[in-house]
Amino acid sequence: MKCYYCGARLNRTNTCPACRRNVYVWKRAKFVSNFLYNDGLELAKRRDFTGATESLVTSLQYDKRNTTARNLLGLIYYEIGEWYQAAAQWNISLSYEPEENPAAAYLEELQDSTSQVEQTNQAIRKYNQCLQYCQQKNYDLAQIQLKKVFELNPNFLKGYQLAALLQMREGAFDEAMNLLKQAAKIDRRNPDTRAYINECRKHLTKDGKLIEPEKKKTKSLKELFMGFQDRVVVAAVTNIAIGVVAGLAVFGFLILPAMRHSNTVQNSKELIAANEASAAKDQQITSLEQQIEDMQKQVEDMQAQVDTEKGNTDSVLARIESYNNLITAYDEVNNKDYYYAQEDLEKVNRDDLDESSADAYDALENKIERNIQALEEESGGSDEESSGDDSGE
Amino acid sequence: MLNFEEELKKFEPSPEIEEADNAIYQQDLTDIMDIAEQLVEASRR
């Protein structure tokens, strides 16, 4: 064992005989690193590459210059198809120990020929392309690409896991199980491989065949539709029915409301026109009623006027009658028909006479009274004479 | 039940072989001795 600081050969003490520095921590770290390397080697021999990788990575955390552990780690990466990781570890190993390092031979084999390098890169590129297809959800293309990767890199562990995952996604658990068995041959105790295998076993029988899912009692709409499609006549009738229903729906939701709206608008317009006509009629009626009132008033005025005139006419007639009776009484007085004259004079309304006629009436009345009185006196004297004659006999 | 999308995230693209030469600059190569050295330096200050 050489000193960590100066490279001198160490003894059993914890102090370097050359540089006199304390190498206790370094010795312990070196011891643990070697212990873990041995553990990783055993696991690698059993093809438990996952466990071996963990041990070797931890070993290098204790001593990064443990080129033996690093070279073995590179070999494991190479074996599981991680060629980039393998080349990286060998390059680092060479950087710490350029002389007498097997990593140089490993790298030379990996990068010796151009065709080998190209083949390696092609496998890596196809794998990266496959991951892109998966992200784009082109899973069929991803599976095709993975098959090409396996041709170039038959021990690509992650490739088998990815291929199995794609098969499981489509429900092909039997195919996935075959791929996972390939992966388990490469790395026996890989945790991802085991998890996928456990998942596949849930869907497989003991013989490795797919467990058929329980028949659904009720069919999905899609299955019903697909069933209908098989029957041409039923499909045609169904399509026609769908078309009729669609047409009715369009009529009911689009055309009918539009028609109703149009009728409503028309009715509204007619109603407005009718209201306007009615208003005009009302106005006309009001006007006519006013005219009627005016005319009635005129009639009443005229009637009053007529009545007045009639009254006037009656009074005129009465006056005429009075004058006629006065004249008649005057004539009868002249004819000495005093009694008739008195009757006619009584028919005369003195108020209807003018002043001179009224004087004439008064004079005539006095004359008629004197004359009648005279006649009555004469008639009384003659009666006494006749009654004396009757008694003297 | 496995989640396909979650499992798919575990698969990352791989660099090409030519880029392996620069791996020494990309990886963290700190070991316990480096940490011990840092602790000693810190204690000396």
Side-chain angles (χ1 to χ4, degrees):
Chain A
M1 188 178 290
K2 294 182 180 177
C3 176
Y4 173 77
Y5 301 101
C6 65
R9 202 170 187 79
L10 296 174
N11 52 25
R12 289 186 180 182
T13 63
N14 293 328
T15 305
C16 176
C19 62
R20 311 304 297 177
R21 295 180 76 166
N22 191 321
V23 293
Y24 172 76
V25 175
W26 182 80
K27 273 190 171 182
R28 296 301 297 173
K30 187 77 177 171
F31 174 79
V32 173
S33 177
N34 286 334
F35 177 82
L36 290 168
Y37 161 75
N38 291 330
D39 183 63
L41 181 61
E42 286 300 316
L43 292 171
K45 287 178 180 177
R46 295 202 292 266
R47 297 197 73 86
D48 182 4
F49 292 139
T50 301
T53 303
E54 288 179 3
S55 295
L56 291 171
V57 168
T58 308
S59 170
L60 293 171
Q61 286 175 347
Y62 279 91
D63 182 13
K64 63 186 177 185
R65 292 182 172 80
N66 192 340
T67 53
T68 311
R70 198 174 290 281
N71 291 340
L72 178 58
L73 183 60
L75 283 172
I76 290 171
Y77 281 137
Y78 182 83
E79 184 62 17
I80 64 174
E82 299 280 354
W83 291 346
Y84 167 78
Q85 295 290 349
Q89 295 301 324
W90 291 332
N91 274 313
I92 295 170
S93 176
L94 279 175
S95 69
Y96 288 127
E97 196 173 313
E99 303 292 335
E100 297 179 356
N101 192 335
Y106 300 149
L107 276 173
E108 193 175 329
E109 188 170 336
L110 188 63
Q111 300 174 345
D112 181 27
S113 63
T114 307
S115 61
Q116 180 68 29
V117 170
E118 186 56 33
Q119 181 180 349
T120 307
N121 284 336
Q122 199 173 2
I124 292 171
R125 286 192 213 112
K126 287 185 184 301
Y127 171 70
N128 294 340
Q129 182 68 48
C130 172
L131 290 179
Q132 283 186 4
Y133 285 147
C134 288
Q135 288 173 0
Q136 296 165 2
K137 303 190 186 305
N138 292 326
Y139 301 118
D140 294 336
L141 291 175
Q143 289 182 358
I144 293 169
Q145 204 74 317
L146 271 176
K147 287 181 182 175
K148 296 178 182 176
V149 172
F150 294 144
E151 291 174 5
L152 298 168
N153 190 352
N155 284 349
F156 191 19
L157 174 64
K158 277 197 173 179
Y160 285 108
Q161 290 173 342
L162 181 58
L165 190 64
L166 291 171
Q167 293 290 345
M168 286 161 64
R169 183 190 167 276
E170 294 180 3
F173 293 99
D174 50 349
E175 292 290 331
M177 183 59 93
N178 292 333
L179 291 165
L180 291 171
K181 285 180 180 176
Q182 294 285 336
K185 285 181 183 176
I186 298 168
D187 185 4
R188 189 168 296 176
R189 295 194 180 189
N190 186 278
D192 290 332
T193 304
R194 294 174 84 175
Y196 293 169
I197 287 173
N198 289 334
E199 184 63 29
C200 287
R201 281 179 178 161
K202 294 177 185 176
H203 300 88
L204 298 173
T205 62
K206 290 183 180 179
D207 300 333
K209 294 180 181 178
L210 270 175
I211 298 173
E212 291 187 6
E214 293 179 2
K215 290 182 181 179
K216 296 178 184 177
K217 292 182 180 178
T218 58
K219 292 183 180 179
S220 66
L221 281 172
K222 187 179 177 182
E223 290 172 342
L224 282 170
F225 185 73
M226 295 301 288
F228 276 124
Q229 285 285 19
D230 294 335
R231 306 176 199 174
V232 176
V233 175
V234 176
V237 171
T238 306
N239 290 334
I240 291 169
I242 292 169
V244 169
V245 170
L248 287 172
V250 168
F251 179 78
F253 288 110
L254 295 176
I255 298 174
L256 198 59
M259 289 171 62
R260 285 180 182 168
H261 179 69
S262 174
N263 289 338
T264 304
V265 169
Q266 185 66 25
N267 292 339
S268 298
K269 286 181 180 177
E270 290 177 357
L271 185 64
I272 291 169
N275 286 337
E276 287 176 353
S278 174
K281 294 285 184 189
D282 288 340
Q283 193 173 4
Q284 194 176 4
I285 289 170
T286 304
S287 172
L288 289 174
E289 285 179 347
Q290 186 65 35
Q291 289 182 12
I292 290 170
E293 284 182 12
D294 294 339
M295 292 178 72
Q296 280 182 347
K297 192 175 180 183
Q298 287 180 6
V299 166
E300 288 173 359
D301 292 340
M302 291 180 70
Q303 186 68 33
Q305 193 174 2
V306 166
D307 292 339
T308 305
E309 293 297 327
K310 189 179 177 183
N312 293 339
T313 305
D314 290 342
S315 69
V316 167
L317 289 175
R319 290 181 66 185
I320 294 172
E321 187 69 21
S322 293
Y323 278 105
N324 287 336
N325 289 327
L326 181 64
I327 295 169
T328 306
Y330 183 77
D331 289 336
E332 286 169 351
V333 167
N334 290 333
N335 296 330
K336 297 184 180 178
D337 292 323
Y338 297 110
Y339 288 101
Y340 290 122
Q342 189 182 30
E343 288 178 6
D344 290 328
L345 197 67
E346 288 176 354
K347 295 178 184 177
V348 174
N349 186 1
R350 190 178 180 281
D351 295 331
D352 293 335
L353 303 173
D354 57 8
E355 186 175 350
S356 61
S357 298
D359 293 341
Y361 172 81
D362 293 337
L364 195 63
E365 186 181 31
N366 290 331
K367 188 176 182 176
I368 290 169
E369 284 180 0
R370 281 199 314 269
N371 289 312
I372 289 175
Q373 189 174 6
L375 286 172
E376 285 177 357
E377 285 174 358
E378 287 180 6
S379 173
S382 60
D383 285 339
E384 285 177 358
E385 292 179 356
S386 64
S387 63
D389 292 335
D390 287 331
S391 60
E393 306 180 340
Chain B
M1 185 68 185
L2 285 176
N3 186 330
F4 176 77
E5 298 297 333
E6 290 297 320
E7 293 297 322
L8 195 60
K9 289 178 185 176
K10 296 180 183 178
F11 298 91
E12 293 178 353
S14 173
E16 295 188 10
I17 289 294
E18 285 81 6
E19 297 178 38
D21 295 339
N22 297 324
I24 192 169
Y25 306 110
Q26 297 168 359
Q27 291 198 11
D28 183 14
L29 300 176
T30 304
D31 64 358
I32 199 166
M33 283 306 297
D34 297 328
I35 295 171
E37 289 281 309
Q38 291 171 8
L39 290 173
V40 169
E41 283 294 324
S43 65
R44 283 177 186 172
R45 292 173 195 166

